[in-house]
Amino acid sequence: MATHARERLLNAAEELFYAEGIRGVGVERILSESGVGRASFYRHFASKDDLVVAVLQRRDQAWRTWLAERVDAFGGKPLDVFDALAERFAGADFRGCAFINTMAETADTGSAAYRVAAEHKERVTTYVAGLLAKSGHEDAEALARRLVLLMDGAIVTALRERTTAPAREARAVAAAVLAAAA
């Protein structure tokens, strides 16, 4: 059941890293929480850094799938990303953005974890640009970068304030940005 051990490691690490930070959680804690032995850990991951990268890659796919599903449920318009974020901010387990948190903790822009986190942000920007282009906005890439800036600001502010209001405020600013660009 090697696959199960890998999944247990990924699940435990993802939960712990998101709740307590990457640096705050050691391999021993991950082993304890996952119920996986040290030898099995090293069969799947050469190091904690490799586990961090695997967690981030998996979370990237899951988060972007979640975002697309929620945006579609709200109507599929560019501003719907903020409605999806408001839902996420309301969750009791909301601890900000795992990717922003990783970049803040890692700081080494050359590290694999930092690169995966930065690539996630680029993929989100590409997704938002697609929504904008589909809605008929010109210069979708530049507008997407502005909207993602507002999304990231809303995420950090929601974490600080513990409220969904930043999503609504960022949505209003984004609407003004889109109106000005039209």
Side-chain angles (χ1 to χ4, degrees):
M1 296 296 167
T3 306
H4 295 301
R6 179 180 170 81
E7 284 303 306
R8 289 198 327 261
L9 287 164
L10 287 167
N11 290 339
E14 182 173 5
E15 185 177 316
L16 290 167
F17 292 159
Y18 186 64
E20 299 176 25
I22 294 167
R23 293 194 190 284
V25 177
V27 171
E28 290 301 322
R29 177 89 183 281
I30 295 165
L31 295 176
S32 174
E33 294 288 326
S34 68
V36 174
R38 180 176 298 285
S40 185
F41 174 89
Y42 286 109
R43 272 194 297 276
H44 295 288
F45 304 101
S47 66
K48 179 183 169 187
D49 289 341
D50 289 342
L51 174 61
V52 170
V53 168
V55 165
L56 290 171
Q57 289 169 333
R58 185 173 83 157
R59 189 172 185 107
D60 165 58
Q61 184 60 52
W63 196 89
R64 288 183 301 109
T65 298
W66 168 84
L67 181 63
E69 289 171 355
R70 295 311 306 142
V71 167
D72 285 347
F74 282 113
K77 301 291 185 215
L79 294 177
D80 295 336
V81 297
F82 297 99
D83 299 325
L85 288 178
E87 271 188 355
R88 184 65 192 107
F89 298 168
D93 65 338
F94 176 68
R95 294 270 305 129
C97 172
F99 304 95
I100 293 171
N101 296 349
T102 296
M103 287 186 275
E105 271 193 82
T106 306
D108 175 7
T109 59
S111 75
Y114 191 98
R115 285 192 312 270
V116 170
E119 288 166 3
H120 165 79
K121 290 300 180 180
E122 287 301 319
R123 287 184 188 104
V124 171
T125 301
T126 299
Y127 168 72
V128 173
L131 292 173
L132 290 160
K134 185 177 167 186
S135 293
H137 292 278
E138 293 183 24
D139 203 8
E141 183 65 31
L143 286 173
R145 292 202 174 283
R146 292 178 190 146
L147 265 59
V148 171
L149 176 68
L150 291 167
M151 291 168 66
D152 287 347
I155 290 167
V156 172
T157 304
L159 179 61
R160 184 184 75 232
E161 295 179 357
R162 295 297 190 195
T163 176
T164 61
R168 290 187 303 278
E169 293 165 6
R171 188 185 205 283
V173 174
V177 166
L178 295 181

